[in-house]
């Protein structure tokens, strides 16, 4: 599915609606998978379906301007629906990035 739209104050952008899958990425289908295969396979187990629908909005220069994901995952026997939208702008602007303290980063195991 493809369409065009305008994100104010951004220029006209094109929309591509598709699906991605952790199972596919964790397998042999994605060339970047080998170093991430274990993490992707673990993530795939948490989702209720392998297909994760998303909309990707690209500007005329091919830059990702907006991405919207819709998916669900299992949590203690319940299904949790998630809708996430990220807007990207200010390309070329310098930003200051500060990493969180080590104690604020979870580095444990996720058991599924």
């Amino acid at each position: 599915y493809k369409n065009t739209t305008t994100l104010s104050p951004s220029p006209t952008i094109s929309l591509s609606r598709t699906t991605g899958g952790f199972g596919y990425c964790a397998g042999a289908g994605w060339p970047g998978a080998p170093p991430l295969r274990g993490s992707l396979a673990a993530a795939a187990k948490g989702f209720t379906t392998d297909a994760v629908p998303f909309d990707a909005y690209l500007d005329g220069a091919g830059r990702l301007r907006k991405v919207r994901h819709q998916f669900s995952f299992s949590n203690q026997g319940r299904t949790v629906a998630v809708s996430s939208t990220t807007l990207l702008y200010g390309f070329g602007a310098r930003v200051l990035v500060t990493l969180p303290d080590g104690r604020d980063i979870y580095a444990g195991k996720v058991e599924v």
Side-chain angles (χ1 to χ4, degrees):
Y1 172 82
K2 287 192 175 189
N3 197 358
T4 58
T5 188
T6 302
L7 290 179
S8 181
S10 300
T12 300
I13 58 173
S14 62
L15 161 66
S16 177
R17 179 166 289 158
T18 189
T19 59
F22 286 106
Y24 171 81
C25 291
W30 181 50
L36 304 172
R37 192 162 278 135
S39 297
L40 290 168
K45 290 179 185 176
F47 285 84
T48 55
T49 65
D50 187 49
V52 178
F54 68 92
D55 297 336
Y57 297 81
L58 305 174
D59 67 13
R63 296 177 296 207
L64 182 64
R65 300 299 297 245
K66 176 179 175 180
V67 62
R68 181 175 40 218
H69 301 88
Q70 296 173 342
F71 59 89
S72 58
F73 64 92
S74 297
N75 183 9
Q76 299 179 354
R78 298 177 316 157
T79 299
V80 179
V82 177
S83 179
S84 170
T85 302
T86 302
L87 294 173
L88 303 157
Y89 55 90
F91 296 97
R94 292 186 174 267
V95 296
L96 176 63
V97 177
T98 304
L99 295 175
D101 289 337
R103 67 176 185 264
D104 294 329
I105 299 173
Y106 180 72
K109 257 187 169 175
V110 177
E111 303 274 336
V112 180

